[in-house]
Each structure stands twice: as C-alpha cells, then as structure tokens.
Amino acid sequence: MITDIHAWLDRAAEEGRLRAMDRAFARFLGTLDPQADPRVLASAALLSRELAEGHICVDVSTLGEREPGLSGASGWLASSPLVALPGGEPASPLVLDGSLLYLRRFWRDEARVAAAIVARLAPVAVPAGLREELGRLFPAAGAGEDIDWQKIACAIAARSAFAVITGGPGTGKTTTVVRLLGLLQTLAVAAGQPRLRIRLAAPTGKAAARLNASIAAQVAQLDVDAAVREGIPAEVTTLHRLLGSRPDTRAFLHNADNPLHVDVLVIDEASMIDLEMMAATLDALPAGARLFLLGDKDQLSSVEAGAVLGDLCARAEPGHYDEATRTWLLDVAAADVTAWTDAASAWPLDQHITMLRRSRRFGSESGIGALAGAINQGDVPAVAAAFASGMFADISRMSGTSAGVAALSIDGRGDAPGHRHYLEWIAAHRPVAGAGDDAHMAWARGALVAYGRFQLLCATRAGDAGVVTQNERIAQGLFDRGLIRATTGWYEGRPVMIVRNDYALGLMNGDIGVTLAMPDGQGGTVLRVAFLVMDEGDGERVRLVTPSRLTAVETVYAMTVHKSQGSEFEHTALALPPEPSPVLTRELVYTGVTRARRHFTLLAAPDVLAYAVARKTQRASGLLGRLGPD
C-alpha cells in the first residue's frame, strides 16, 4: 500500500521509473483533490510515463505487476473524483474506459477517430464501368503470376469512403493510388459529375517532397484522358499546411466548423501520424469526403503518442475478408481472395484494408529485401544468415566502433557513397564566376540530391552511438580530410535539419538543407542554406535562406531512425548502441534497413542486432477495440 505519495514519487524518479514531468503531473492532480487516494496519483504518474513511450493509455490490470500496492486498481480508480467513466463527469482529468486508463484528451481523440472511421465503413455507391476501367488500368496477370493486389486495393477503395493500403518498400503503394485516382476521376467524368477535388498530403516535408516527385512521374504515364489527368494533382502538401497550422496553438484553421474543400484526401506515410493529428484530420474532413491512407504497417510508429496505422492494419496479414468482399472482388477485379477470406472472424474494418504483398524493388537477389523480411518475422537466425552468407552484395555488417562509424560515414564502402561524395560534388560542380542565378539554383538542387545519396541513422540522440556524438565525430573527420573548413558554426557544406516548424519561412520539422556559398551580387559570396520545399501550386523548388534566420536547426551528418521516415537514400548505414537498450526494437531496425535503395550497412554487434530483432513494439491503445464488430 502506498501511504506517502510524495516519497513514492521521489523514489520512482530517482530510480528512473518516472520522469520529473510525471512526478509533477501527479503532484498537480493532488492539488486538484487534496484528499486523493495516493494510489490514484501513482497510477496517473505511471500513465504519464507511458504516454512518453507512445502509449495512449495504460491497462490498469497490469499496474499491480509494476507496483504491488496498485493491485485491484479498477475499484479505487472508479471511485476517485479525478477519474470519470465514459459519459461521466466531463471535467475529470482521467477517464477509465473498461480496464484502460486515459488522460481525458487522448480518450477523447481516440473516440473521435474511431467514430469518424466507423461512420465511413458503409460501402459507397460505385458508378457504372468500374469492372471495365479496372481491367484497362490493370491488364490480366500472366500465367502463374500471383493475383494483383494493386488491382484489389483499387477495387476495395472504389467502394469505400475510407480505405488503407499498406505494404513494404517497392510494393507499389504510389503506383496504386495514382491509378486509383485516375479510376475515380474517370468514373466521375463518365457519369457526368464534376471532377473530384483531390488533395495529397504527408506528415512531413520530406515525405511530401518524395511523394510529389513520385506522383508527378506516375501521373504523366497514366493511361487516362487528358481531362482526367489534369484532375489528378501532382502537388503534395504537409498535413500541417493542409489543415492550416496556427502558431502558438494546437488548433488548426480547418476543423469541423471550417472543413476542407475536398472530395478525396490521400495521406502517404500514415505510420508517422499520431493520434492527435489523425483526430484533427478527420475533424476537418467533410462528411461526404473519402480518406485513403498509405503506409508501411511495419515501420516505426509516430514519435508522439499513438500507432494509428498499426492499429488499423493489425489484422491485415491474413486478410479477414468476408464472403461479400470475396464475391465483389471476383466480380469486378477477377481476383480470387479465398485464401484470405474468413467470414467467421471478419470485421467491417477488414473489408477496407489491403496489404500489397509483392515487392518490385527488392527481388530474390536483394539482401535488403531478404533482411527486411526476416526482421519483420522476428527471425534472428535468418537475419544473421543474410549477413554471413556472402550471397548478397547490397548489404554488409561492420564494426560499430566509433572509428568505424565515422570512417564509413565519410568514405563509404566500395561503390556505396559516404558524405565525402556530396562535398566533393559541391566543389567539382561549382558554377564558374559570373554564372547566373539559374546556374546557381541548379547547383544548389544538385548539392541536395548529392547529399541525399547517403545517410547515417542512429537509434538514439544521446550516448556514444547517438546522433549528437556521431555528428561531432563525422564533422571532425571531414575537417581533418580538408572536406570542410570548420566543425562548428556556419560553413559551406554543413547539412542541417529543421527541428521545429517555422511558419514564417515555410519550413517544417524534418526539412533538410545544405549550406552553400552563393554570389552576393558584388563579386563575393555569402552563405545561404538551400532547401527543397513544396509551394502550393508551384510544386517543388529550391529555397535559399540566410543562416541567421534559422533558429531551430541541427547539424545532420547523422539523424535518428525516426527522423528518417519518409526518406530514402542510395546508401543507408544504421549504427546501433554497443549494448542492448529499450529503444532497440524490430520496427526500428526494419525502418532503418528499408530507407536504403541500393546499399545498406549495419554498424552493430551481432548480439545487439539479435536483441533488437527479437523485440516487437506493442503500444497500448483502445482504438482497435473500438473498431471491432461490436
């Protein structure tokens, strides 16, 4: 039994079981109810700690396992003025929903998301001609080929106000959604309806820029009428820009009272969307609009609390289609999904989820593909064998020592580039004296492309193997080789990442720039930081920013795996800590591996890798339960 809550909070903080913030939160609740049961305050502190780890709630039946004095929590929690049951006191800071304890804000967000999705699970009317248009966009597979999951995804989405398309790298998520949009626009035009108002969005600037380039190329090749092609936007915006971020507030310009002007909203990299952002997006979506989410369910979840895509796709692997969906797909898509049909256990949500199962980027000869698959299965021996066999030229495991990480990051390995490449590119391709603005802007764009060929990823920010230390070591190594002129401050070649949204500059958290010496108009040069940004209506372009205006940036020779989501690099290196750590999970390693297009290098000891692959992330949430058959 906990009798002295302050002593318990202090001891838990000293032992590292609570943060100072968790302790302060519990003490604040104590000021709201001076007679509060100490067990309620202790439970609130543990809930606060769980939120920091990305969990939406805490299952109170497990509290006794963490602290013996918290057993039997449902009874004394429900009787506390600080805790309300669903539909109870609206001012209470905590909500107990079944066995799950929430902060009220997160309970409300979860309920809003679930209600909005459930409202969109009823099939929508499909205009005539779907079968014929699907057949034209997706010609019949050849003899012996698997069924076309991209075609299935389009068929399912065509009858849905809400649909999710998930799959790993190279499974064709972007190709699928472009064809889906072409399909929907074609059917709308054929039915004499106005062209659909379509918007494309992603959680970060990097993800938006990558999708923008991919979408533009796909739309140009799409076999549809010109009027239909013009109705498929090539511009992708960030969710913050789409919703209308307002400085110094969590609220957005667009909400339930001021909804978006959109008929179809497509969001890529949905694994990065936290619960609060998903709730805001659904609030701003008109009742008649359709929402399609794209993402890899096996990637890391959002940094903030929630794992919305993971919850939605928890049942995607076996399909769980019902008989109506099986019949529908056989009719309109000539696809037999009997092997993925389970009418007895099917949920309405399952009928709106498609998992793309064939990677066109990573074939049987790809070590990156084999590695990603083994990691997803938690197959530690297969992961070790992929590195040890020598049959895969695109993957390598090296020492994770400080010197080894820095050397690899600077010089690369073989034809897999390191950071030396982009710095030498900048020097070799510098425009001649007197060259105009166009030449320098093209050079700046080329520098950003060259920088993007390699990236070192780290599991953590702090520690000897973390981002901060690695950035310092790499900068020193580049300086020692004469590739940069300084290791601190602003200097040509310094790569930086925006770490806080800057609405005045139009730069978002995660945007990356490279510092360059640009003409000052008087025969000299001045440092400017070049970014690739998305401008509404203008697509992707280079923006030059004076360093003094960038108040929230970090050097980014290395970045965390979390920050890398939405990006791809020709050569990706992943450095893990020398010892097992709670941050190491299967999803973290998988995300790091799948950032690589052609080369992947692991910088870690075998036992640390095995530890990470064996640990699957489980985030506490009640969202999936709210979306079940009841």
Side-chain angles (χ1 to χ4, degrees):
M1 181 70 176
I2 299 173
T3 55
D4 186 339
I5 184 60
H6 296 291
W8 183 89
L9 290 170
D10 288 340
R11 184 172 66 255
E14 290 171 2
E15 294 172 353
R17 294 187 290 127
L18 294 177
R19 303 168 300 160
M21 182 182 298
D22 309 324
R23 177 173 56 184
F25 174 64
R27 286 177 172 165
F28 167 73
L29 293 185
T31 66
L32 300 181
D33 179 13
Q35 304 304 314
D37 187 324
R39 295 172 296 180
V40 173
L41 301 183
S43 299
L46 292 173
L47 171 60
S48 175
R49 185 69 183 90
E50 291 295 281
L51 289 170
E53 298 297 325
H55 302 283
I56 293 299
C57 53
V58 63
D59 188 336
V60 299
S61 66
T62 67
L63 290 176
E65 301 171 8
R66 309 182 194 194
E67 182 68 39
L70 299 182
S71 298
S74 293
W76 41 263
L77 280 171
S79 62
S80 170
L82 296 172
V83 183
L85 301 179
E89 170 56 52
S92 63
L94 304 175
V95 175
L96 182 63
D97 194 341
S99 66
L100 301 180
L101 181 67
Y102 296 81
L103 286 185
R104 175 168 291 278
R105 176 165 65 89
F106 289 100
W107 176 81
R108 185 175 60 246
D109 285 346
E110 187 178 272
R112 285 159 55 204
V113 168
I117 291 175
V118 168
R120 287 180 161 82
L121 294 185
V124 300
V126 179
L130 174 61
R131 183 188 300 104
E132 293 73 20
E133 192 62 21
L134 275 172
R136 191 178 67 79
L137 288 172
F138 296 92
E145 290 189 21
D146 293 336
I147 60 176
D148 192 336
W149 286 101
Q150 294 185 15
K151 186 177 183 180
I152 289 171
C154 286
I156 286 177
R159 68 167 188 172
S160 303
F162 172 80
V164 179
I165 301 173
T166 186
T171 52
K173 295 185 291 294
T174 304
T175 299
T176 303
V177 80
V178 169
R179 293 187 186 182
L180 171 62
L181 298 179
L183 170 71
L184 296 178
Q185 285 287 31
T186 296
L187 294 176
V189 171
Q193 301 170 354
R195 285 194 312 198
L196 297 169
R197 298 169 298 175
I198 300 172
R199 297 297 302 272
L200 308 174
T204 67
K206 288 188 298 179
R210 181 177 153 213
L211 179 62
N212 179 80
S214 182
I215 286 280
Q218 295 280 350
V219 170
Q221 299 172 11
L222 191 61
D223 181 20
V224 294
D225 293 342
V228 171
R229 186 178 294 108
E230 291 172 3
I232 303 174
E235 297 83 19
V236 185
T237 186
T238 64
L239 276 175
H240 282 86
R241 290 187 180 116
L242 176 75
L243 298 179
S245 295
R246 297 159 59 188
D248 303 321
T249 176
R250 304 174 79 98
F252 292 96
L253 176 64
H254 290 288
N255 50 41
D257 296 323
N258 180 31
L260 295 164
H261 302 292
V262 63
D263 298 311
V264 177
L265 174 61
V266 176
I267 305 178
D268 193 23
E269 296 290 352
S271 65
M272 301 168 66
I273 305 175
D274 60 80
L275 181 69
E276 183 178 21
M277 178 58 79
M278 184 61 76
T281 301
L282 286 164
D283 279 350
L285 204 61
R290 305 164 85 165
L291 175 63
F292 301 135
L293 303 179
L294 311 179
D296 186 344
K297 67 180 181 61
D298 298 310
Q299 278 191 194
L300 280 169
S301 299
S302 60
V303 175
E304 303 299 330
V308 177
L309 187 72
D311 287 340
L312 293 172
C313 296
R315 294 161 52 88
E317 191 85 36
H320 290 292
Y321 295 128
D322 61 21
E323 187 60 27
T325 297
R326 188 193 72 81
T327 303
W328 159 264
L329 292 173
L330 194 60
D331 178 32
V332 303
D336 185 358
V337 295
T338 301
W340 292 271
T341 299
D342 186 356
S345 64
W347 293 5
L349 175 65
D350 299 329
Q351 317 317 307
H352 298 259
I353 311 293
T354 307
M355 179 175 170
L356 305 181
R357 301 164 190 270
R358 178 188 172 197
S359 176
R360 290 163 173 79
R361 181 184 308 165
F362 303 131
S364 59
E365 76 289 348
S366 167
I368 296 173
L371 198 56
I375 291 167
N376 264 344
Q377 298 301 317
D379 191 336
V380 174
V383 170
F387 285 113
S389 66
M391 64 180 293
F392 298 119
D394 58 338
I395 63 173
S396 178
R397 192 183 69 78
M398 301 174 63
S399 167
T401 62
S402 301
V405 172
L408 183 280
S409 299
I410 295 169
D411 298 319
R413 60 173 177 85
D415 61 346
H419 283 314
R420 172 189 292 277
H421 165 75
Y422 89 92
L423 293 166
E424 291 180 339
W425 190 97
I426 289 172
H429 294 81
R430 190 184 308 276
V432 298
D437 289 345
D438 288 348
H440 280 90
M441 295 302 278
W443 174 59
R445 179 182 291 270
L448 288 164
V449 171
Y451 168 82
R453 290 189 64 195
F454 169 76
Q455 187 61 60
L456 172 66
L457 306 181
C458 301
T460 63
R461 285 186 49 78
D464 190 64
V467 163
V468 174
T469 300
Q470 298 294 6
N471 274 321
E472 293 172 351
R473 288 180 179 139
I474 293 168
Q476 187 62 51
L478 292 169
F479 177 81
D480 292 343
R481 290 165 171 79
L483 294 168
I484 56 176
R485 297 183 178 181
T487 59
T488 59
W490 290 100
Y491 53 87
E492 184 171 58
R494 181 191 178 192
V496 296
M497 175 186 286
I498 302 293
V499 296
R500 186 173 63 246
N501 292 344
D502 189 323
Y503 301 101
L505 293 176
L507 296 174
M508 297 293 111
N509 186 359
D511 287 350
I512 290 178
V514 173
T515 310
L516 299 170
M518 304 293 286
D520 63 1
Q522 300 177 353
T525 61
V526 62
L527 290 180
R528 293 290 183 265
V529 186
F531 295 87
L532 277 179
V533 298
M534 296 298 304
D535 283 342
E536 296 292 336
D538 296 330
E540 185 182 67
R541 69 180 184 88
V542 174
R543 176 177 299 166
L544 300 179
V545 181
T546 303
S548 60
R549 299 190 65 189
L550 298 173
T551 58
V553 295
E554 294 178 348
T555 300
V556 67
Y557 295 116
M559 69 173 70
T560 63
V561 177
H562 265 291
K563 287 289 189 181
S564 75
Q565 289 182 267
S567 299
E568 287 183 349
F569 310 96
E570 179 180 330
H571 177 203
T572 300
L574 174 62
L576 300 182
E579 302 292 338
S581 162
V583 76
L584 297 179
T585 65
R586 184 181 309 171
E587 290 80 5
L588 181 137
V589 179
Y590 171 83
T591 302
V593 170
T594 54
R595 298 312 87 204
R597 285 196 304 269
R598 293 185 57 200
H599 304 281
F600 173 75
T601 304
L602 178 70
L603 300 155
D607 61 326
V608 174
L609 174 63
Y611 171 87
V613 172
R615 298 181 68 246
K616 184 171 178 59
T617 300
Q618 297 290 344
R619 283 193 170 182
S621 162
L623 180 60
L624 185 61
R626 296 178 189 272
L627 298 171
D630 298 330

